[in-house]
Amino acid sequence: MNLIQKSLFELQEMKYKRFMERLVPTVPKDTILGVRLPQLRKLAREIVDTEEAKEFINQLPHLFFEENHLHSFLVDLYSKNFDEAVTRAEQFLPYIDNWAVCDSFKPKALKNDPKALYSKIEEWMQSDEIYTIRWSLVLQINWFLEDFFHPQMLERVSKIQSKEYYVNMAISWYYSMALAKQYEVTIPMFQKQELPLWIHNQSLQKALESKQIDVVRKKELRSLKVSRVPGSFLAQ
């Protein structure tokens, strides 16, 4: 056991471990220690200048779920510019195997060049890797639905075709947030039923649960839910 793993075991909470085992079912239970995210972020800040951390970030794959979280936070701390953030991210992406690490991985240096970042996002959206695709969507949800939004982005996301649950959930999350932040340009996609049925309904459901959408708009969203009709294109 190395020093970083020893530090993680010292922060372990068995009750939290059992909770996380249920929350991230794609991760083997024996690789989940049970360390909370604030503790992992704090540990990353504490070790960032150590030789152990500098070696750790080049030692992929890691054994424990929390090591991957820690790795993602160290990428954020080590990345001083856009190019470095992209390089480190692309080294790490093939080893992300769950939604939790994927969704919390947001190196701030990527925001230094939004145009170049969106070009990379378009590449990542075409990946064959589940969590690389999901990550491209998470970045858009966080950084491209307000200041850097363009309506064409909605159509580009709609071109993602996947049977993977964690990809389609992220697509639904994306459109629900688009309804919250860019309602007028997003709602026609639902009025015209342009999305696959499951994503259409799941997006609407998540939007209806949002506190960012007012009651008047929620009434319209509720009316746009579609039942499966055998033989129709919506049943696909």
Side-chain angles (χ1 to χ4, degrees):
M1 182 183 299
N2 61 45
L3 289 175
I4 289 177
Q5 290 174 340
K6 184 175 183 294
S7 297
L8 291 172
F9 272 97
E10 289 173 353
L11 297 169
Q12 183 180 42
E13 297 179 37
M14 295 309 295
K15 184 176 180 180
Y16 189 68
K17 169 181 166 63
R18 291 189 290 272
F19 169 74
M20 289 305 299
E21 288 173 355
R22 296 190 296 273
L23 205 60
V24 283
T26 61
V27 178
K29 292 181 179 181
D30 60 354
T31 68
I32 298 175
L33 300 178
V35 182
R36 297 176 186 271
L37 283 186
Q39 295 279 20
L40 291 168
R41 289 193 176 94
K42 181 181 177 183
L43 179 60
R45 292 192 297 269
E46 290 174 350
I47 67 173
V48 66
D49 294 322
T50 67
E51 288 303 316
E52 288 81 7
K54 292 172 184 176
E55 291 178 8
F56 170 83
I57 205 167
N58 292 312
Q59 295 171 344
L60 288 164
H62 300 302
L63 176 59
F64 295 109
F65 167 72
E66 283 82 0
E67 287 181 294
N68 282 328
H69 265 310
L70 188 63
H71 187 116
S72 74
F73 300 144
L74 286 170
V75 167
D76 184 25
L77 295 172
Y78 282 137
S79 299
K80 305 304 180 186
N81 56 58
F82 175 82
D83 289 338
E84 185 176 2
V86 168
T87 297
R88 291 188 181 278
E90 291 188 325
Q91 289 171 343
F92 183 48
L93 282 172
Y95 300 97
I96 296 178
D97 61 358
N98 64 88
W99 69 265
V101 172
C102 176
D103 294 6
S104 64
F105 182 38
K106 297 188 284 287
K108 292 185 289 294
L110 290 176
K111 293 193 291 183
N112 292 348
D113 193 338
K115 184 177 180 180
L117 175 57
Y118 190 74
S119 293
K120 294 300 298 185
I121 283 173
E122 288 185 294
E123 289 181 30
W124 295 327
M125 280 196 289
Q126 298 176 49
S127 172
D128 293 327
E129 299 292 331
I130 297 171
Y131 293 101
T132 299
I133 301 172
R134 184 180 172 97
W135 194 58
S136 73
L137 293 160
V138 170
L139 293 180
Q140 291 183 77
I141 290 166
N142 282 278
W143 296 337
F144 287 89
L145 280 175
E146 294 182 283
D147 294 344
F148 308 112
F149 174 78
H150 190 283
Q152 289 181 352
M153 295 175 178
L154 298 170
E155 182 181 352
R156 288 170 186 155
V157 170
S158 74
K159 295 185 183 303
I160 298 174
Q161 295 186 354
S162 175
K163 295 182 179 179
E164 298 292 343
Y165 173 80
Y166 287 101
V167 171
N168 287 324
M169 277 300 295
I171 295 172
S172 302
W173 178 20
Y174 171 83
Y175 282 117
S176 72
M177 293 303 296
L179 285 166
K181 296 184 177 183
Q182 301 290 344
Y183 189 85
E184 297 300 333
V185 293
T186 306
I187 194 64
M189 296 187 75
F190 292 88
Q191 294 167 332
K192 298 173 185 177
Q193 299 174 357
E194 295 178 356
L195 300 171
L197 174 61
W198 191 90
I199 291 174
H200 176 98
N201 282 341
Q202 190 68 25
S203 301
L204 291 173
Q205 182 57 42
K206 292 177 77 66
L208 288 168
E209 295 168 359
S210 172
K211 295 180 180 179
Q212 299 181 54
I213 300 176
D214 64 41
V215 293
V216 174
R217 287 177 171 176
K218 283 185 177 180
K219 182 177 180 180
E220 179 178 16
L221 295 178
R222 199 170 284 109
S223 73
L224 292 173
K225 278 202 164 187
V226 181
S227 299
R228 185 181 295 274
V229 180
S232 76
F233 78 97
L234 283 169
Q236 302 302 312

